[in-house]
Every structure is written in structure tokens, then in C-alpha cells.
Amino acid sequence: MKNFENKVNKCRRDFDKAVLRVKDEKSFHELRNLYLSRKRGRLTLLFKELNALKPEEKPKAGQLLNRLKSHIQGKLESRKKKYAITKEEARKTDITLPGRKRYWGSPHPVHLFQEEIENIFLSMGYSVEEGPEIETDYYNFGALNFPPHHPARDDWDTLYIKGDLLLRTHTSPVQIRVMEKRKPPIKIIIPGKVYRKETPDPTHLPMFYQLEGLVVDKGITFAHLKGTLEYFLKTLFSENVKMRFRPGFFPFTEPSAEVDIGCTVCKAKDEECRVCGGSGWIEILGSGMVDPQVFKNVNIDPEVYTGFAFGLGIDRTAMFAYQIADMRYFYENDLRFNRQFFLK
Ligand SMILES: [Zn+2]
């Protein structure tokens, strides 16, 4: 009986190895005949050996053989299904079809636009500065002339992390960090991510990119500010872009001005334009002369030095430049949208 059991086990092992090599109709039939053929199949021969066993051994031996038989049949069937599918796939492959195009990655559209803006300022002799996205209350508010509990803080309210740490609401803290370390002349732009407590809509996002500029030197006037922004907007949009300055308020500049350009989406022709609200103008920049108190906070003498600062939303401006009606498209990761900008 022991000898018989060994034979059954060996037969199973041999079959398990052989079945892996079945790849087509031909090898399938060959293997099936080798094991299940009614005349000389290995299994058939084992069944014949049953007769030589003692009567009390026969039931158990028969059970072993039947189990082996269904094992072999089951494996053969599943193998057949497998190679049948492979064959079907091979039939579907048409090697005369053109190859599939693979897309290379590319910088994000907002990043490409940021580089476009940076290049304009680099050509005017500005340098690029960066700073931390997690700021202290002092750099984000205090040093920029937002006293505690001042209502101006409400517009910039944000996510506090722990104690006086918060996600910066603007890139302006970097102005302070640079002026603390360096004496004028200063001529910098500061791009980066900022955070606000906004509900996302076509023109607002809780996280967006800002770029601001700061110029500090002797004899800097509002005329320098105006000339710089005019040159910038004409280079970025077009020579005949319409622009206007409106009085505004920022705690860190005095006087302050908001800068509008003629609506690039409806060209001031659509009273129901979602972007300009039908006014024909879109607000694009905040700007102003650096408040003397800010200079005092960083030990720069406001009697000697003056300066101007300005800031814009990169995503927001990209939306106007590319004539996109909803800023949220930039962050939906729809490649059909993103790829439109790759060739620019
Ligand atoms: Zn419009």
C-alpha cells in the first residue's frame, strides 16, 4: 500500500510540473492523453494496479486515485481557459496599428505662468526671494502693521497651527525677513503659496500662489510704482491693455492703490460676465508705498528711504491671461485641461 501511495504522489507531482508547460491545443491534448488515455494513460494504469492490492486496501486506494483524477481534470480545464484567452488577445493585437503615444510630464500651468512673470521682473533687475509657509503671528501680521484685534486681520484670517504659528496669508512676511537682514537698495520679487479662509468658487481658493515685489531705495516715488506696473502688465498681457489705479487700503502701505485691467474674458462686452461681474474691469494687483511704520519695525530710517510694494495672485492672473472662467480648473488634475498649456 505504501508503495502504491508513493506512485500516486509521484504521478501528481509529474503532472503538476507538466501542466505548466501547456501553451496550446497540441500540448494540451498530448498531456491529457499521457495521463487520461483509456489504454495507456498513467492514471488508467494506476487504476489497473488496484487489482493487485489486498481487498481491505482497495477502498482507500480507490479514493486516492479518484481524487487524483479530479485534480488532473480540473487543472487541465483551467489551463485550457488560460491559453485560450492568451490566444484571443494575440488575435486582437494588430501590429500594423500606429504605436500609442506616451506623454512626458511637464511643469504645472500655474508654475509655467509664475516663471513667465518672474522673467519679466528678472529682466528689470529684480532678484527672487522665498520664505517659510508656516509663519509666526509677528511676521505675518505684527511687523506688517496689523495691530492685534485690528479689523484688517479679518480679511486675512487663516489657519492657526499652534500658539502663534499660522499658515501665512500672504507672501509679505518675506519682505520683513529680507529687510531685517539686508540694507537698501532692495529690489526683490517673492513668489509662493499662501492660505486664506476662503470657500472655493470661480475666483477664490483656500490655497493659492502669490507673487509680490518690494523696492526700497532713496528717492523712490509713486511714479516708479506706476511705471513698473504699467511695464509689467503691458509685457504680460498686451501693449494695449487698459489699466486703472483705484485708492485702496493695506495696513503695510500708505498710500495704497488697487490696480484693475480691462476684462480679458468678455472685453467689457458681457453684462453677465462671471469674471468681471459685468463691470468690464478686473482687480489684478494690490500696491502702495511702504508704510513708514513697517520701515521702523525693521530699523530702516523712513526719513532716508522710501519704497513701494505690490502683490498679485498668480493663479488668478493666469486665469485672466488664459481666459479661463474658473480658477478651480487648475487644481482638478484633468490632463485634458493641463495639456493645453504644455506647448506654450
Ligand atoms: Zn468680463
Side-chain angles (χ1 to χ4, degrees), residues 105-161:
S106 162
H108 189 272
V110 171
H111 184 80
L112 291 173
F113 192 67
Q114 178 182 321
E115 283 186 341
E116 218 174 306
I117 297 176
E118 284 176 9
N119 285 339
I120 297 172
F121 284 103
L122 288 174
S123 76
M124 287 192 269
Y126 285 70
S127 61
V128 180
E129 293 288 341
E130 282 176 344
E133 284 171 33
I134 296 175
E135 267 298 359
T136 62
D137 185 278
Y138 175 73
Y139 282 107
N140 196 76
F141 291 124
L144 288 158
N145 210 20
F146 288 80
H149 312 298
H150 191 279
R153 284 190 177 214
D154 292 348
D155 295 337
W156 273 271
D157 216 357
T158 183
L159 301 156
Y160 284 82
I161 294 168

Side-chain angles (χ1 to χ4, degrees), residues 113-128 187-191 211-215 224-225 227-233 235-236 285 308-312:
F113 192 67
Q114 178 182 321
E115 283 186 341
E116 218 174 306
I117 297 176
E118 284 176 9
N119 285 339
I120 297 172
F121 284 103
L122 288 174
S123 76
M124 287 192 269
Y126 285 70
S127 61
V128 180
K187 202 173 172 189
I188 55 170
I189 48 166
I190 306 153
L211 185 139
E212 68 180 69
L214 171 72
V215 173
H224 294 115
L225 167 63
T228 303
L229 294 185
E230 192 178 327
Y231 174 79
F232 163 62
L233 291 173
T235 313
L236 188 66
L285 285 149
F308 66 78
F310 57 87
L312 58 84

Side-chain angles (χ1 to χ4, degrees), residues 267-280:
K267 316 268 186 259
K269 283 185 184 121
D270 180 2
E271 278 178 19
E272 280 167 25
C273 175
R274 281 213 297 167
V275 174
C276 66
S279 71

